[in-house]
Amino acid sequence: MTEGTKKPFIVREIRQQFPALRQLIYNKNLIYFDNGATSQKPQVVLDAINMYYSKDNANIHRGVHFMSQQATTEYEKARVTIQNYIHAKKSEEIIFTKGTTDGINLVAFSFGELLSAGDEILITAMEHHSNIVPWQMLCQRKNLTLRVAPINKKGELIIEEFDKLLNSKTKLVAVTHISNTLGTINPVKELAVKAHAVGAKILVDGAQSIQHMPIDVVDMDCDFFVFSGHKVFGPTGIGVLYGKEALLDKMPPYQGGGDMISRVTFEHTTYNELPFKFEAGTPHIAGGICLGKAFEFLSELDMDAVQKYEKELAEYAQDMLDTFEGLDIIGEAKKKTSVVSFVVENIHPFDIGTLLDKQGIAVRTGHHCTQPLMDFFQIPGTVRASFAFYNTREEVDIFIAAVEKSINMLK
Amino acid sequence: MMTLEEKQQEIIGEFEIFDDWMDKYEYIIDLGKELPLIDKDKKTDDRLIRGCQSNVWLDATIVDGKMKFTSDADAIITKGIIGLLIRVLNNETPESVAKADLHFIKTIGLQEHLSPTRANGLLSMVQKMKMTALLNLDNNA
Ligand SMILES: Cc1ncc(COP(=O)(O)O)c(C=O)c1O
């Protein structure tokens, strides 16, 4: 779809398309501010799930019959939709996975096979556990060294320190595009240049960026980009690993089984081509097809307008919260978006979360799968409000009043 | 002396007057603030029950055949619920603690806090209370 055909961004109209938003929780209108954890689904995605199982359900890539071919066509069409959306050069570079975690584990295993003792992996101090633990496991398996680039108190990567840790032994930089806890936007394009300059590859964890901004993997020049379908208005259990073709070609398969083979004998098996080499077994067919629908839905939106809107919403919320005595915003990066994390002096995040819940407001409390980050800030956890384009200023106003009420009750 | 069941009924009665969730929680928070705290020197790691969200400390002893609990938690709502649990189970025999069916929690609408997925340490705390009771049963037998 060309720029010209994009619909103007009108929140009221967009909300209409998300039935989950129209419900009462404890007799209050639901305010869903837990989009960092997972997003709600638009009607087109829900319809597609229903449609797939009621009509098109068949196994793909192996059937001669009509339904199988239909399902295969739809599944492969979704791959192309996603390819176009993230501006990948080829659809072979789009590997369907179970999600971000699965994608990272695939790379950690398969790219990891190309590495040898003494090589280094560089991550940052703000990574999600799923962008830490697979590298720790790889480092143990292959005798590699994991290095962690520190952040400052605002929650920004310290570039000078990153530079110091990057060296000719670094084989991979694995970094989150946007921190799920802090909202910090990392300068991934700049980091890609730095990584490539020492001969390292770069993996970008796009779990929190794909739903909030336009993504162009070629412009970003990342070697891998991973995300989860469920955070980008699609189903759970499906996600994407983008990888540069030349690199994916070099990597051995991750799992063995059906679909990923070209020819099997008991003596020797040759592998299928990309992307199938990395897609062993019957995939999440409905998931893939419906994720495609989610991206068709997104393609009709003006993502620049969306990004601007979400940023304003988060800033509005943050500015209001900042006026509360004893409340500290965690994560004050200059470049941040869609996430506001906070703690309140002498009040446990869990208590605020519980009271907000009873007022119909869904937020997340705790460590957000970033325990090392909590250790860095020396806090047990935060209350996190994370926004999507279907959230409104009115909701933020209600949220702010509810936070105030909760704090007063807990003081 | 009230029986364990009478204590549960009394709490259910106290909660009946609340028709609003926030009022209910206001009351729980007050209970949390009143909870007789575990002695500082007893807040040791072996008494710590780590939840994903919040931590609970529990000390369980037995005096003259009756169980005595003191506790603390880092979240005040958790503390309030602990206060209710202790009110019901304190001064009971190990046998009645071990057998106790704490149905009041469900009746007053707080069962979510004791669900295994809640991960606030409360369920583990109740399990620990009952375990201690069971161990003391065996000792007495
Ligand atoms: C930055 C980041 N990375 C990775 C993940 C893991 O995503 P998933 O659990 O969908 O695999 C998340 C999800 O919370 C995330 O926010």
Side-chain angles (χ1 to χ4, degrees):
Chain A
M1 189 164 285
T2 62
E3 297 299 316
T5 57
K6 291 197 194 287
K7 296 179 194 156
F9 175 69
I10 301 170
V11 179
R12 202 165 18 85
E13 283 175 12
I14 291 213
R15 280 184 74 82
Q16 303 264 318
Q17 304 184 47
F18 289 81
L21 299 176
R22 291 193 294 272
Q23 55 182 311
L24 295 178
I25 303 288
Y26 307 111
N27 261 325
K28 307 257 171 24
N29 285 317
L30 164 68
I31 294 182
Y32 187 76
F33 283 175
D34 195 17
N35 295 285
T38 198
S39 60
Q40 300 305 335
K41 319 302 171 202
Q43 193 64 49
V44 283
V45 169
L46 301 174
D47 289 346
I49 294 171
N50 193 18
M51 179 72 171
Y52 173 77
Y53 285 116
S54 32
K55 193 161 168 290
D56 296 333
N57 179 44
N59 211 331
I60 56 171
H61 297 149
R62 34 184 102 160
V64 291
H65 62 82
F66 179 84
M67 281 166 73
S68 172
Q69 282 173 18
Q70 182 83 358
T72 306
T73 306
E74 287 294 314
Y75 190 70
E76 291 307 320
K77 199 176 105 194
R79 199 190 299 276
V80 173
T81 303
I82 296 163
Q83 174 211 341
N84 290 334
Y85 189 85
I86 66 171
H87 302 278
K89 283 184 187 144
K90 294 183 161 183
S91 66
E92 287 82 350
E93 296 177 321
I94 305 297
I95 315 284
F96 280 121
T97 63
K98 286 189 285 188
T100 308
T101 306
D102 192 37
I104 295 174
N105 277 281
L106 189 161
V107 175
F109 176 82
S110 183
F111 178 76
E113 280 300 283
L114 308 177
L115 305 182
S116 42
D119 287 347
E120 297 184 4
I121 311 274
L122 177 57
I123 63 173
T124 82
M126 69 176 91
E127 298 309 317
H128 188 278
H129 293 163
S130 64
N131 201 25
I132 302 174
V133 184
W135 307 119
Q136 286 175 329
M137 290 163 66
L138 168 63
C139 286
Q140 264 184 0
R141 185 162 61 88
K142 285 271 182 175
N143 234 330
L144 317 182
T145 306
L146 185 65
R147 305 237 178 249
V148 184
I151 58 172
N152 61 27
K153 285 286 173 195
K154 283 180 163 175
E156 294 163 326
L157 181 64
I158 307 172
I159 299 290
E160 302 81 60
E161 297 295 323
F162 177 91
D163 288 345
K164 280 187 213 156
L165 291 169
L166 190 68
N167 63 71
S168 59
K169 282 189 263 171
T170 313
K171 290 296 176 280
L172 184 77
V173 172
V175 58
T176 193
H177 197 173
I178 296 182
S179 157
N180 62 310
T181 306
L182 309 170
T184 309
I185 307 175
N186 279 314
V188 286
K189 194 173 166 179
E190 184 187 331
L191 300 181
V193 174
K194 289 173 187 289
H196 293 152
V198 298
K201 306 295 181 198
I202 182 165
L203 175 141
V204 175
D205 173 352
Q208 298 292 342
S209 63
I210 185 81
Q211 64 281 50
H212 295 303
M213 57 173 69
I215 297 292
D216 184 331
V217 290
V218 173
D219 178 62
M220 195 188 292
D221 200 20
C222 55
D223 300 282
F224 302 107
F225 187 89
V226 287
F227 63 86
S228 303
H230 69 95
K231 291 186 202 274
V232 61
F233 317 106
T236 52
I238 187 84
V240 165
L241 160 67
Y242 156 83
K244 285 183 182 164
E245 185 184 27
L247 191 54
L248 291 175
D249 264 337
K250 266 194 236 150
M251 288 159 45
Y254 173 44
Q255 292 179 330
D259 248 20
M260 55 77 72
I261 50 87
S262 163
R263 171 96 182 103
V264 178
T265 66
F266 285 118
E267 290 70 40
H268 185 68
T269 291
T270 50
Y271 304 128
N272 204 339
E273 298 179 339
L274 289 176
F276 310 113
K277 181 172 93 175
F278 290 109
E279 295 180 354
T282 300
H284 186 359
I285 305 168
I289 293 174
C290 300
L291 182 56
K293 296 292 173 206
F295 276 99
E296 283 175 22
F297 172 83
L298 279 180
S299 308
E300 291 178 9
L301 294 178
D302 177 350
M303 279 312 273
D304 290 317
V306 163
Q307 195 182 356
K308 184 160 166 282
Y309 175 80
E310 288 179 345
K311 187 165 190 286
E312 280 169 9
L313 205 58
E315 279 170 0
Y316 178 60
Q318 180 161 328
D319 289 348
M320 304 262 276
L321 286 171
D322 231 355
T323 63
F324 293 150
E325 213 184 289
L327 187 149
D328 266 323
I329 303 289
I330 303 296
E332 296 181 282
K334 244 192 247 112
K335 291 200 170 154
K336 75 175 268 190
T337 189
S338 36
V339 171
V340 182
S341 254
F342 64 93
V343 291
V344 183
E345 212 178 7
N346 298 324
I347 298 181
H348 200 280
F350 173 78
D351 288 326
I352 297 180
T354 303
L355 294 183
L356 290 178
D357 170 53
K358 293 297 175 286
Q359 298 169 82
I361 301 170
V363 294
R364 178 107 181 249
T365 65
H367 54 64
H368 318 295
C369 297
T370 52
Q371 280 173 350
L373 194 54
M374 298 297 105
D375 294 344
F376 173 74
F377 284 105
Q378 295 182 321
I379 49 177
T382 74
V383 182
R384 179 189 73 181
S386 51
F387 308 102
F389 50 59
Y390 43 59
N391 293 128
T392 64
R393 251 179 193 251
E394 292 71 51
E395 288 182 316
V396 173
D397 288 335
I398 297 168
F399 163 72
I400 295 294
V403 171
E404 186 170 22
K405 181 170 182 178
S406 307
I407 293 177
N408 287 335
M409 281 172 72
L410 291 162
K411 259 205 302 236
Chain B
M1 274 280 288
M2 276 197 273
T3 64
L4 193 144
E5 180 54 30
E6 282 165 353
K7 286 188 272 186
Q8 297 206 65
Q9 289 305 334
E10 187 184 60
I11 293 172
I12 290 169
E14 285 167 19
F15 274 80
E16 259 164 15
I17 56 166
F18 304 121
D19 44 18
D20 182 80
W21 276 104
M22 293 306 270
D23 294 341
K24 203 182 272 188
Y25 273 89
E26 187 115 53
Y27 184 57
I28 295 168
I29 290 164
D30 284 342
L31 294 175
K33 289 175 182 163
E34 285 165 13
L35 180 71
L37 286 185
I38 188 169
D39 286 340
K40 266 227 160 60
D41 57 329
K42 286 193 174 159
K43 269 177 97 168
T44 51
D45 271 356
D46 58 327
R47 293 187 181 85
L48 171 65
I49 301 160
R50 239 180 247 285
C52 186
Q53 293 265 356
S54 66
N55 294 323
V56 173
W57 290 263
L58 175 74
D59 183 53
T61 53
I62 188 154
V63 180
D64 298 334
K66 299 287 169 67
M67 300 212 59
K68 309 276 178 193
F69 300 104
T70 53
S71 181
D72 196 3
D74 46 13
I76 192 99
I77 290 171
T78 310
K79 251 159 101 165
I81 298 167
I82 290 173
L84 293 171
L85 290 166
I86 290 187
R87 190 167 134 199
V88 170
L89 296 176
N90 232 14
N91 294 317
E92 295 290 335
T93 61
E95 192 187 357
S96 82
V97 170
K99 282 201 313 213
D101 168 16
L102 300 164
H103 61 83
F104 79 101
I105 286 287
K106 184 154 184 229
T107 313
I108 64 177
L110 297 180
Q111 69 276 20
E112 68 190 48
H113 291 284
L114 278 167
S115 81
T117 52
R118 193 70 180 193
N120 55 9
L122 271 182
L123 184 64
S124 311
M125 187 189 85
V126 172
Q127 282 163 351
K128 193 162 170 187
M129 286 169 142
K130 293 197 164 213
M131 268 315 264
T132 315
L134 279 172
L135 286 174
N136 281 290
L137 269 188
D138 290 343
N139 287 350
N140 293 348

